[in-house]
Amino acid sequence: MIKLTIDGQEAVTGDGEDKTLLQLAQSLGIKIPTLCYHPSLEPSGGCHLCLVEITKPSWEGWSKLVVSCAYPAEDGIIVETNSESVIETRRFIIKLLLFDCPDSEKIRSLADEYGIEKNEFTDSGADSGDSLKNCILCGLCVRVCRDIIGESVLSFVYRGVKRRVMTPYNESSDVCLTCGACAFVCPTGAIELNDIIRYRHIEPWHTQRELKKCASCGKYFVPLILADKLRRKLDLFLETADSCPECRRKSLAESFVVGT
């Protein structure tokens, strides 16, 4: 059994549970800000916003900052999630994010939460012409496409200040399902997904896919390429795959009424 203290509260986890400091803090109702973390994906610690300060009595006053989303629970450690060092470091990180993403509502909300009224980093990268101007390079879109969707449409390219997320050669991808998982996990709303009449567009990836029409109501609801993949993978019945979620729910409700 592993015992530790987080903001004065005792946290206990069993051996072999592999819980992180972030997970334990959340179980105690302690809020730690995150951007690059998602519970369905392995942590990467990319944004560093979830930093906490840890120490031990045996360290004789020495402490260090660690990313809580990736740091495993350790017996006997004392964790502070809102120490002076933690707050100042988070403020610095938010200022850097605000420098790159001044139009992001999420980053602005964090800046307000941490009392950042003036940012000494005055220049902005917002007018760089990048279609992902609010991208913080957290990698969630890359990881969800690779690890959950299984397509690996996206990847990081270049290095340093030129680092970007792109499709191969920054062109339309033949394997992109336009499923929208990348847009769903994006913490800053940098990825826009638009359904226009019978087509779905994901502008940053220069990709367009035709949508499938519901056999019942006639509404376009899912990309054809995605519907075909799900049908093959899940062996869905034809009538199930051809109906939108609303019509499926309506059909299911009606079957229960008839059954009663």
Side-chain angles (χ1 to χ4, degrees):
M1 182 177 293
I2 298 175
K3 293 183 179 181
L4 59 148
T5 302
I6 305 178
D7 289 350
Q9 300 185 55
E10 185 180 80
V12 180
T13 179
D15 293 328
E17 287 192 43
D18 295 329
K19 286 194 174 182
T20 64
L21 298 183
L22 176 63
Q23 290 172 324
L24 287 176
Q26 290 175 337
S27 69
L28 295 173
I30 298 172
K31 181 184 176 183
I32 297 177
T34 63
L35 284 174
C36 71
Y37 172 78
H38 193 280
S40 299
L41 295 164
E42 289 294 320
S44 68
C47 72
H48 285 71
L49 196 62
C50 68
L51 283 170
V52 296
E53 188 173 8
I54 66 170
T55 187
K56 280 186 177 182
S58 59
W59 291 0
E60 299 179 348
W62 180 78
S63 65
K64 65 178 179 179
L65 297 178
V66 300
V67 286
S68 61
C69 71
Y71 199 90
E74 187 178 324
D75 194 51
I77 63 173
I78 301 170
V79 182
E80 293 290 337
T81 69
N82 284 295
S83 66
E84 182 178 346
S85 179
V86 168
I87 295 300
E88 285 306 307
T89 305
R90 283 184 193 158
R91 283 171 56 86
F92 181 76
I93 292 171
I94 294 169
K95 287 179 181 180
L96 291 177
L97 292 172
L98 197 59
F99 167 77
D100 280 333
C101 310
D103 297 326
S104 169
E105 292 184 7
K106 178 67 175 181
I107 305 302
R108 287 189 174 277
S109 176
L110 284 168
D112 291 341
E113 182 179 345
Y114 280 81
I116 300 173
E117 298 179 357
K118 182 180 179 181
N119 190 359
E120 53 265 36
F121 307 116
T122 54
D123 293 332
S124 170
D127 297 325
S128 63
D130 187 357
S131 60
L132 283 176
K133 64 179 182 180
N134 284 329
C135 175
I136 61 169
L137 301 175
C138 68
L140 279 175
C141 57
V142 176
R143 289 184 287 141
V144 74
C145 188
R146 179 192 64 208
D147 299 342
I148 296 182
I149 306 303
E151 294 297 340
S152 297
V153 172
L154 309 171
S155 62
F156 285 108
V157 297
Y158 309 128
R159 296 181 179 181
V161 296
K162 293 184 178 181
R163 191 167 173 82
R164 295 289 186 272
V165 175
M166 287 184 182
T167 55
Y169 306 105
N170 197 26
E171 296 179 355
S172 177
S173 171
D174 293 335
V175 296
C176 178
L177 304 174
T178 59
C179 63
C182 55
F184 178 78
V185 299
C186 179
T188 61
I191 304 171
E192 292 187 8
L193 181 151
N194 295 304
D195 288 352
I196 303 175
I197 308 177
R198 55 181 295 182
Y199 292 96
R200 173 168 292 179
H201 305 259
I202 301 185
E203 182 58 35
W205 318 140
H206 317 293
T207 301
Q208 174 179 286
R209 289 285 183 266
E210 187 176 357
L211 294 171
K212 185 180 184 64
K213 181 186 288 189
C214 175
S216 300
C217 68
K219 181 178 72 175
Y220 293 101
F221 69 101
V222 67
L224 279 169
I225 188 174
L226 177 58
D228 291 340
K229 179 175 181 176
L230 290 175
R231 182 183 296 175
R232 293 193 305 269
K233 189 171 184 178
L234 303 178
D235 194 25
L236 293 173
F237 293 110
L238 181 62
E239 60 271 17
T240 301
D242 286 345
S243 299
C244 69
E246 291 81 0
C247 288
R248 288 201 297 271
R249 285 194 292 268
K250 182 179 178 180
S251 177
L252 183 61
E254 290 175 349
S255 67
F256 275 119
V257 172
V258 173
T260 55

